[in-house]
Amino acid sequence: MAAPVPTGNAAESQYLVLRDEIVGGALPPGTTLLETALAARLGVGRAPVREAILRLECDGLVVRGPRGPHVRTLTAPEVVDIYQARIALEAEAAASAAAHRSALDLARLRHVDEEARGARDQDERRALHGRWHAVLRQACHNPTITGILEQLALQLALYDSIDMSRNPNLESTDDEHAEVLEAISDGDQDRARTVLRAHLERTRDVRIAALVRQENSSTA
């Protein structure tokens, strides 16, 4: 008989599964997370599921309500608040990357950029754009900034709507990433900070416009 899996390991596994389902849209905003139902579906006990839900609350992906924990639904003001924090921190991450860049950092950024430009599927391309930002966060070599930005990116992933994928956003993103990469490669901290900020301000406006369209269509 196989040795029982420690609760901590099981909780980590279920946390990753549920986090991916939330971020990927399988558990959309507003979905109630019932421990018993999730435990039965995932084939585990309630304890690791309970621990996983608590971690998702700490990530800002799950909130408590009268009916228990449910996947967070972002409002337009919340999206703006999250973006405000992300813009401030990621602009500094870009400047830090320009100051502390390594050959490996630059190679990783260029590789993901080339993959994104070559992708034909829009969903794949958008996923690669997100991956590029993750690589950038690592390239800043500041674990504190990286950790906070990863959490903010998770929260914004709650609102990756179909409307956004229909917006003519992908080509602009490719060009803006190229500008940021050039500034980082040149070691130009001020320019890296400035072009990254402009890029995120534009994508923030795209998200807000899509959110407003969704709100209008739901009340029509």
Side-chain angles (χ1 to χ4, degrees), residues 90-165:
E90 197 157 334
E92 291 309 311
S96 181
H100 304 292
R101 69 202 183 286
S102 68
L104 182 57
D105 292 329
L106 294 174
R108 286 171 173 163
L109 285 166
R110 290 185 182 118
H111 175 70
V112 179
D113 182 60
E114 290 170 2
E115 282 195 315
R117 290 176 182 275
R120 294 293 173 261
D121 179 77
Q122 286 198 352
D123 289 338
E124 179 187 2
R125 199 169 172 191
R126 289 176 59 219
L128 285 165
H129 286 160
R131 173 62 183 156
W132 188 90
H133 280 275
V135 174
L136 171 63
R137 294 191 286 269
Q138 294 296 325
C140 82
H141 298 284
N142 185 318
T144 300
I145 289 179
T146 299
I148 297 172
L149 283 171
E150 292 291 351
Q151 188 174 49
L152 295 175
L154 278 177
Q155 293 176 20
L156 286 172
L158 288 169
Y159 182 67
D160 276 333
S161 69
I162 294 175
D163 278 346
M164 272 193 66
S165 67

Side-chain angles (χ1 to χ4, degrees), residues 1 16 22 25-26 59 68 86 91 93 97 101 112 123 151 156 187 189:
M1 179 181 296
L16 293 174
I22 291 172
D59 287 339
R86 181 187 176 187
R101 69 202 183 286
V112 179
D123 289 338
Q151 188 174 49
L156 286 172
Q189 297 179 56

Side-chain angles (χ1 to χ4, degrees), residues 65-84:
R67 298 182 179 180
H70 60 271
V71 180
R72 180 181 178 186
T73 300
L74 290 181
T75 64
E78 286 174 327
V79 172
V80 172
D81 288 346
I82 295 170
Y83 247 101
Q84 183 178 1

Side-chain angles (χ1 to χ4, degrees), residues 39-56:
R41 177 167 69 83
L42 298 172
V44 296
R46 292 179 61 181
V49 171
R50 185 179 306 115
E51 290 180 43
I53 291 174
L54 288 173
R55 284 188 62 182
L56 293 167

